[in-house]
Amino acid sequence: MSSEQYSFDLVIQQGSVVLAEHTRVLDIGIKNGKIVALSPRLSNKLAQSIDASGKLVFPGFIDAHTHMGIPIMDTISADDFESGSRAAAFGGVTTILDFTVQEKGQSLQEAVEIRCRKAQRKSYVDFSMHVNVTDQPKKWRSQIPALIEDGFISFKLFSTYRQAGMMITWEQFRQVMAEVNAHKGVLMLHAEDNDIVETQTELHLNQNQLAPIFHARSRPAEAEAKAIETAAEITRELSAQLYIVHLSSQAGLEAGIEARRKGTDIILETCPQYLLLTESQYHEPDGHYYITTPPLRTESDVNALWQAIQNGDINTIGTDHCPFTRSQKNAGKQQFHRTPNGLPGVETLFPLIYSYGVEEGRIDLHRLVDLLARNPARIFGIDHRKGEIEIGKDADLVIWNPKVKSVVSVDRQHGAADWSPYEGLRITGSLEYTIRRGQILVQEDKFVPDKAAGELIRGKVSD
Ligand code: URP
Ligand code: ZN
Ligand code: ZN
């Protein structure tokens, strides 16, 4: 079919379009929110057009790990879906996968409905929810098949946070995994061995060692490795699949690779904080701001994770976006166990991985797209709509000018946090447009939409 037969709502002209394996100068024709044409030249006399020559055009990025407005300790993470999704759009993220919050006594289904209502008409970017299973897994397990059928295909368990009432036992892990696996869903795990964490935490509290570095000492890399080993063994016995969230350490990575060597189907996600920051931050005057779980690690952990990004051992990068303001963090100052844990990240995800991955020569553009778009789309069953620039997919696009240089500054960030863990880090490139289903969300410094029209994207399990 010749391009003249199409009529477009918008054409992105002559950008260097980052496809799965190649980057090509192309025009992208958009109609009704979908990519309908990809061609060296499209004639487009009627539609709106954007000149992208000299710019890179990426698929909209997917942050598969955010926590908008969740309760932690005595407070709530600072971004709700409104502010958090605005920040996402300014970072080129057009889809977020957040998590339900299962209250005590609440069914999984109810938790999904409540959480989706919080995002609807608030989120500017498209969204879905992973289903947290933190209360009475045995009772609610029977809801899993219907949720998967309904497009909520991923379930998350915690092997720690016992005192916060979120931990499951390994027997419960086995039961939930069996159910999720039987219906081809995705089982995600926050992997830290709770016995190690509680023992180490007690030890430091008893010695009145409350400074931020003791957050890291209380949650050592061995705790991550041990939980991954245990979970992988069960996964192997059930011939299931396991997704490890926020992998932070070399020891955890080695446990994951060893599990793969033994034949376990294991997917590894890491986050920018584990690639760019180290535990030395905890010794700084504002060290308590950096309290996040798992904690920041050492330089050699950072190097091992980058190596795994380069050689394909790590499959996705999400952010674990869970920001707190200075005043929220200060409420727990000098008491690591009372400081709300979490960091902002959704807005800096792509700029940082572009700058420290691609520009530093560690990965190419296509690997970046694998990590931040294609892989999360495929793993979470939304690749029928998201993750790639392809005819028929949603017109989620990011236009990036690789020639501009800047630094991360909280003054130019759009989330609710009034500080950034990445303040001062060098960024190569600047975001010119974020487009979600053909709608311009961000045009340079300007936020365009007057209403939050992010859509719930339902996942599909593979046959
Ligand atoms: O400290 C963090 N990362 N807070 C968010 C909850 C979690 O464990 O992912
Ligand atoms: Zn976690
Ligand atoms: Zn998280």
Side-chain angles (χ1 to χ4, degrees):
M1 191 180 282
S2 88
S3 59
E4 279 70 23
Q5 287 169 269
Y6 290 104
S7 82
F8 308 112
D9 301 327
L10 177 63
V11 175
I12 314 298
Q13 293 176 316
Q14 297 301 290
S16 297
V17 178
V18 185
L19 303 168
E21 274 152 27
H22 312 279
T23 301
R24 294 231 183 93
V25 175
L26 292 172
D27 284 357
I28 305 174
I30 298 167
K31 180 84 184 156
N32 297 329
K34 298 280 184 192
I35 298 170
V36 294
L38 277 171
S39 162
R41 276 276 176 212
L42 292 168
S43 97
N44 182 45
K45 297 202 175 69
L46 299 173
Q48 187 188 356
S49 61
I50 294 173
D51 177 9
S53 47
K55 316 287 159 59
L56 291 167
V57 185
F58 292 97
F61 297 107
I62 298 169
D63 188 345
H65 193 153
T66 67
H67 300 281
M68 304 302 177
I70 61 158
I72 291 204
M73 296 188 186
D74 298 331
T75 189
I76 306 273
S77 62
D79 271 324
D80 61 9
F81 280 98
E82 208 274 331
S83 63
S85 67
R86 189 168 343 103
F90 273 104
V93 169
T94 51
T95 306
I96 55 171
L97 307 183
D98 208 281
F99 296 83
T100 63
V101 178
Q102 187 194 13
E103 305 287 353
K104 293 279 165 223
Q106 199 174 53
S107 77
L108 302 181
Q109 178 71 49
E110 260 181 290
V112 166
E113 283 161 17
I114 290 170
R115 195 77 179 137
C116 286
R117 275 204 299 275
K118 276 194 192 288
Q120 243 126 22
R121 285 182 290 281
K122 281 278 192 322
S123 182
Y124 292 98
V125 299
D126 287 345
F127 61 91
S128 189
M129 300 295 164
H130 308 296
V131 183
N132 270 356
V133 185
T134 53
D135 186 51
Q136 302 181 76
K138 195 166 178 195
K139 178 168 178 189
W140 303 119
R141 200 176 48 172
S142 59
Q143 295 191 332
I144 289 172
L147 284 165
I148 292 178
E149 183 69 29
D150 204 24
F152 300 94
I153 73 162
S154 43
F155 297 80
K156 176 165 170 225
L157 304 175
F158 296 82
S159 64
T160 188
Y161 293 151
R162 184 182 66 84
Q163 282 152 355
M166 295 163 78
M167 187 183 94
I168 43 80
T169 64
W170 289 116
E171 189 44 38
Q172 290 167 332
F173 174 87
R174 180 187 294 276
Q175 290 163 2
V176 175
M177 174 171 263
E179 193 70 45
V180 171
N181 186 50
H183 296 87
K184 300 190 165 147
V186 183
L187 203 278
M188 307 166 79
L189 179 69
H190 171 132
E192 286 182 296
D193 182 89
N194 194 64
D195 289 342
I196 297 180
V197 169
E198 285 195 6
T199 307
Q200 291 306 307
T201 306
E202 275 306 299
L203 196 125
H204 294 300
L205 295 185
N206 286 341
Q207 295 176 53
N208 208 26
Q209 293 173 321
L210 305 179
I213 188 63
F214 294 106
H215 174 68
R217 299 289 171 263
S218 296
R219 313 187 85 95
E222 295 67 48
E224 183 168 72
K226 180 145 187 243
I228 293 174
E229 276 164 28
T230 309
E233 235 170 84
I234 299 169
T235 308
R236 200 159 48 250
E237 282 165 24
L238 296 177
S239 301
Q241 186 192 63
L242 174 65
Y243 183 105
I244 297 294
V245 299
H246 53 44
L247 182 77
S248 65
S249 66
Q250 179 167 11
L253 172 67
E254 283 167 1
I257 292 171
E258 175 60 11
R260 268 191 200 138
R261 201 191 55 73
K262 291 182 180 161
T264 318
D265 185 355
I266 189 163
I267 299 168
L268 300 174
E269 170 203 89
T270 191
C271 312
Q273 54 270 35
Y274 305 118
L275 295 169
L276 295 165
L277 304 173
T278 67
E279 64 172 34
S280 65
Q281 298 290 346
Y282 294 129
H283 297 294
E284 297 294 319
D286 60 357
H288 60 297
Y289 291 2
Y290 293 80
I291 287 180
T292 191
T293 301
L296 305 178
R297 306 293 186 188
T298 65
E299 196 69 43
S300 65
D301 291 292
V302 166
N303 293 337
L305 293 177
W306 270 119
Q307 190 61 48
I309 294 271
Q310 284 175 272
N311 65 21
D313 284 333
I314 286 178
N315 309 90
T316 65
I317 307 179
T319 64
D320 201 6
H321 180 83
C322 186
F324 295 96
T325 62
R326 289 163 195 259
S327 95
Q328 286 176 298
K329 287 281 188 184
N330 285 341
K333 191 168 181 176
Q334 294 314 331
Q335 294 192 305
F336 76 84
H337 61 303
R338 298 234 161 93
T339 307
N341 49 296
L343 300 177
V346 72
E347 187 168 353
T348 43
L349 169 67
F350 160 65
L352 287 172
I353 300 304
Y354 180 84
S355 302
Y356 293 89
V358 176
E359 275 295 312
E360 297 268 310
R362 289 172 163 130
I363 54 172
D364 67 15
L365 293 169
H366 311 286
R367 179 85 182 112
L368 176 141
V369 167
D370 281 348
L371 291 158
L372 302 189
R374 282 175 85 206
N375 290 352
R378 182 178 45 77
I379 293 162
F380 296 111
I382 57 172
D383 52 339
H384 54 297
R385 295 187 57 178
K386 308 288 186 189
E388 235 172 307
I389 300 180
E390 223 175 49
I391 292 178
K393 298 244 161 103
D394 286 359
D396 295 343
L397 300 165
V398 174
I399 304 179
W400 181 249
N401 182 348
K403 299 203 181 87
V404 179
K405 296 202 188 299
S406 64
V407 290
V408 177
S409 162
V410 71
D411 300 338
R412 290 192 294 275
Q413 300 279 295
H414 300 83
D418 50 359
W419 71 286
S420 168
Y422 308 108
E423 186 77 26
L425 287 196
R426 173 185 50 69
I427 298 295
T428 305
S430 105
L431 187 130
E432 298 211 337
Y433 285 88
T434 300
I435 297 166
R436 190 262 297 120
R437 283 183 282 109
Q439 301 292 302
I440 296 172
L441 298 183
V442 174
Q443 183 175 0
E444 297 193 350
D445 296 336
K446 201 167 90 219
F447 194 62
V448 177
D450 49 20
K451 70 175 201 301
E455 203 177 272
L456 169 65
I457 307 295
R458 293 173 196 269
K460 285 187 186 169
V461 295
S462 51
D463 296 322

